[in-house]
Amino acid sequence: MAYQLKINGQQLQADVDADTPLLWVLRDTLDMKGTKFGCGMSLCGACTVHLNGNPIRSCVTPVAAVGDGAVTTVEGIGDDELGQRIQRTWKSLDVPQCGYCQAGQMMSALALLHQHPKPTDEQIDIGMGMNLCRCSTYLRIRQAIHQVAGELAPAKESEDAAHS
């Protein structure tokens, strides 16, 4: 069946079975290799993409479940200012070692920073906890998230509290 998918702001078509995991549609049908296969069971986070701004595991999400939702992959995070900051910071701090899990790490970090613009270590641990890194670059990932958060404007509620 032909599916019309909105991916990284573009309308793309994929002629696949309804139960085909989104990961394989992205990688094999649409030739978007940034999203990685890790475990195939939604346990490692290497395949994380966003659907309507929410992180999902593309290895277990059938393409039919996407519907008319907007998918963002690691190839598309540079279209967002926060995504650009994440990319720059990951590079400047040499976060990746082997790099295999980093697409999923960056996608989860983007979602975390949208939810918590100034996250605590605990919020980072929770938000990133389902993303595994075989090279154990967790401290560099946390440092990068804090650095990006430090570049962000203060949250509105923080400004309001300061003025009361």
Side-chain angles (χ1 to χ4, degrees):
M1 181 171 183
Y3 289 90
Q4 296 296 320
L5 302 167
K6 185 176 182 179
I7 301 176
N8 300 329
Q10 297 181 3
Q11 285 297 129
L12 302 173
Q13 182 173 319
D15 191 12
V16 295
D17 293 334
D19 62 349
T20 304
L22 178 59
L23 172 66
W24 300 119
V25 173
L26 294 169
R27 290 186 58 80
D28 294 346
T29 305
L30 301 175
D31 199 33
M32 300 176 77
K33 305 295 188 195
T35 305
K36 304 297 186 204
F37 173 78
C39 67
M41 299 182 298
S42 184
L43 299 172
C44 73
C47 69
T48 303
V49 298
H50 291 185
L51 179 59
N52 297 324
N54 298 307
I56 63 165
R57 305 300 199 222
S58 64
C59 71
V60 296
T61 303
V63 69
V66 173
D68 61 358
V71 175
T72 305
T73 69
V74 71
E75 291 93 345
I77 68 168
D79 296 338
D80 171 80
E81 182 181 338
L82 183 54
Q84 290 171 13
R85 287 179 180 187
I86 289 170
Q87 289 174 324
R88 281 193 308 269
T89 304
W90 246 245
K91 185 176 178 178
S92 72
L93 295 179
D94 291 324
V95 172
Q97 187 165 328
C98 82
Y100 195 82
C101 70
Q102 293 305 311
Q105 298 281 2
M106 289 192 295
M107 295 305 295
S108 292
L110 180 61
L112 170 69
L113 287 164
H114 275 298
Q115 184 178 10
H116 301 286
K118 302 287 186 184
T120 63
D121 283 347
E122 181 180 12
Q123 289 168 326
I124 293 171
D125 291 346
I126 292 168
M128 302 298 291
M130 293 303 294
N131 287 77
L132 302 179
C133 176
R134 290 178 182 98
C135 301
S136 295
T137 65
Y138 299 112
L139 295 178
R140 284 188 276 178
I141 291 167
R142 180 185 287 166
Q143 179 185 6
I145 291 169
H146 279 305
Q147 183 168 319
V148 171
E151 296 174 1
L152 300 177
K156 180 72 173 140
E157 56 271 8
S158 298
E159 290 178 18
D160 291 343
H163 295 285
S164 358

